[in-house]
Amino acid sequence: GAGVSQSPRYKVAKRGQDVALRCDPISGHVSLFWYQQALGQGPEFLTYFQNEAQLDKSGLPSDRFFAERPEGSVSTLKIQRTQQEDSAVYLCASSWGQVYGYTFGSGTRLTVV
Amino acid sequence: KQEVTQIPAALSVPEGENLVLNCSFTDSAIYNLQWFRQDPGKGLTSLLLIQSSQREQTSGRLNASLDKSSGRSTLYIAASQPGDSATYLCAVPFGNEKLTFGTGTRLTIIP
């Protein structure tokens, strides 16, 4: 596609509910990243894929967070048993490689009530 | 660990003025630096990408410079317009490609 597509655009979850956030990267982009952005802050790294391999998940805040990219294209970020502190904007980015820079999606705003 | 700082945190200027946003980073071993714009409630839009071998990049009214040795980048906006109002973020890749972001400069252009 022409850009990075994320869905849903907004998600309201009750505390304890599981959620799944989807990212559809630019076709052919090898690298895919998930970031979390709290209100008034810069994005913080969560996890990184190169094709289907998850090479770095050091930014995932807890074992309730899980990401996958089974066929090396679309990725899903899953959050189990959501907590209020999970409320944030979740951004996905893709790239050919760091030399080429990164393209971000519009994000998913998650609100846990 | 790479740390990125942006100054000022917020800036308000009258329409038509030229302005400079600053970004500094602690580890000079970077491949490149990217400037983004973020409108309220939206994702990030890439403005300029400067490779480590370059000193500056230009796109329209925007000019970004990079001085690796001093760990600094500046984003110059000429003849500012109300549509330039947004938060501006700089970011550098650190480790295996993950980006480290500054906290941003919130720019308001006053008509």
Side-chain angles (χ1 to χ4, degrees):
Chain A
V4 178
S5 178
Q6 291 188 246
S7 61
R9 187 75 179 86
Y10 302 94
K11 176 69 178 178
V12 178
K14 291 184 178 180
R15 192 169 54 184
Q17 187 179 356
D18 296 350
V19 299
L21 313 179
R22 176 187 169 104
C23 173
D24 201 339
I26 290 174
S27 179
H29 274 193
V30 172
S31 302
L32 184 145
F33 305 80
W34 284 98
Y35 289 83
Q36 181 189 59
Q37 187 176 25
L39 192 64
Q41 301 295 315
E44 296 280 345
F45 171 81
L46 292 177
T47 188
Y48 156 56
F49 291 85
Q50 191 170 84
N51 296 307
E52 69 277 6
Q54 189 175 20
L55 298 187
D56 188 339
K57 53 182 182 179
S58 61
L60 296 176
S62 76
D63 59 8
R64 296 186 296 104
F65 286 71
F66 172 76
E68 60 183 5
R69 193 185 185 197
E71 298 179 357
S73 57
V74 172
S75 176
T76 304
L77 176 66
K78 297 179 179 178
I79 309 173
Q80 297 177 323
R81 304 181 304 281
T82 51
Q83 304 293 317
Q84 275 196 312
E85 62 263 28
D86 300 335
S87 296
V89 174
Y90 291 85
L91 296 164
C92 176
S94 69
S95 173
W96 289 111
Q98 63 179 299
V99 172
Y100 302 96
Y102 303 81
T103 302
F104 279 79
S106 298
T108 294
R109 179 177 296 278
L110 173 65
T111 303
V112 181
V113 297
Chain B
K1 181 187 175 186
Q2 178 74 273
E3 293 185 5
V4 181
T5 304
Q6 290 187 247
I7 294 173
L11 180 64
S12 293
V13 301
E15 180 179 0
E17 284 199 3
N18 304 325
L19 58 100
V20 174
L21 307 181
N22 297 291
C23 171
S24 61
F25 46 94
T26 54
D27 187 340
S28 61
I30 62 170
Y31 282 98
N32 52 42
L33 183 144
Q34 197 163 359
W35 281 93
F36 295 91
R37 164 189 177 133
Q38 187 172 34
D39 293 285
K42 300 290 179 65
L44 277 63
T45 300
S46 179
L47 297 174
L48 288 164
L49 172 68
I50 315 177
Q51 301 296 340
S52 60
S53 58
Q54 299 174 315
R55 295 190 68 85
E56 62 179 57
Q57 276 283 356
T58 298
S59 176
R61 294 182 294 106
L62 305 180
N63 175 277
S65 67
L66 176 63
D67 184 343
K68 275 185 57 176
S69 60
S70 66
R72 292 184 178 184
S73 176
T74 61
L75 179 65
Y76 175 83
I77 302 177
S80 57
Q81 302 172 358
D84 295 331
S85 297
T87 295
Y88 290 80
L89 295 152
C90 66
V92 292
F94 176 68
N96 54 347
E97 300 202 25
K98 57 191 177 187
L99 286 174
T100 299
F101 284 85
T103 51
T105 294
R106 190 172 69 253
L107 177 64
T108 303
I109 306 300
I110 305 164

